[in-house]
Amino acid sequence: MSAGVERPLGRVYDAAYAGVPNWDIGRPQRPFVRLVESGVLDSAMFHVLGDRERDAFVRELDAVFESDGLYCVLGDRRQDDRDVYGVSVPELRERFPAERWEFVHAEEAAFERRWGATPAVFAVLRRR
């Protein structure tokens, strides 16, 4: 992972937020509905952060999450290890160290959009 990569596809997201984003489907994403039903809720944003931002994000989660706190991530799946956009299970395992985070669950999922869906990763990590 390159330490100098920031906001992959930033211009695309800036343009998307100028109107209604295509991922604003008028209802919660299905993996989050399952979480709400079990009493846990989070947002899908990890996959849009650059490398340094992801590292900072994980450091902040380390600081604010209490033991047994759950972090749930739904993000566009990285199609290729060389890509800077998206997220993969191996990357999550690398960024969330096992001595501080337990990998509870990971699955391939769909990130639904108004015009369809894209391959995604859904993962649940527990703060040790």
Side-chain angles (χ1 to χ4, degrees):
M1 287 171 258
S2 170
V5 176
E6 291 300 321
R7 289 191 67 222
L9 303 175
R11 290 182 300 227
V12 173
Y13 281 93
D14 291 344
Y17 279 108
V20 176
N22 66 350
W23 56 88
D24 183 351
I25 59 174
R27 61 177 170 72
Q29 297 284 337
R30 292 180 203 282
F32 288 132
V33 170
R34 293 194 315 261
L35 287 174
V36 169
E37 290 169 356
S38 67
V40 180
L41 180 61
D42 201 293
S43 64
M45 66 167 263
F46 189 84
H47 67 259
V48 301
L49 301 175
D51 278 337
R52 287 187 296 186
E53 293 167 322
R54 289 178 188 200
D55 290 340
F57 185 78
V58 172
R59 280 192 306 274
E60 292 300 319
L61 289 178
D62 278 345
V64 299
F65 268 70
E66 295 180 7
S67 181
D68 289 332
L70 294 177
Y71 172 64
C72 308
V73 60
L74 173 66
D76 285 329
R77 187 175 72 219
R78 185 173 284 176
Q79 298 298 316
D80 186 297
D81 288 338
R82 296 173 301 213
D83 288 344
V84 295
Y85 177 75
V87 67
S88 69
V89 171
E91 178 195 7
L92 291 172
R93 289 188 186 279
E94 179 183 329
R95 290 196 189 269
F96 289 85
E99 64 270 7
R100 294 191 308 274
W101 294 91
E102 173 191 0
F103 222 89
V104 176
H105 177 77
E107 67 182 44
E108 291 190 8
F111 199 118
E112 298 173 276
R113 287 158 162 79
R114 287 182 285 137
W115 46 263
T118 55
V121 168
F122 178 67
V124 179
L125 297 101
R126 182 184 321 275
R127 181 71 162 95
R128 293 187 189 273

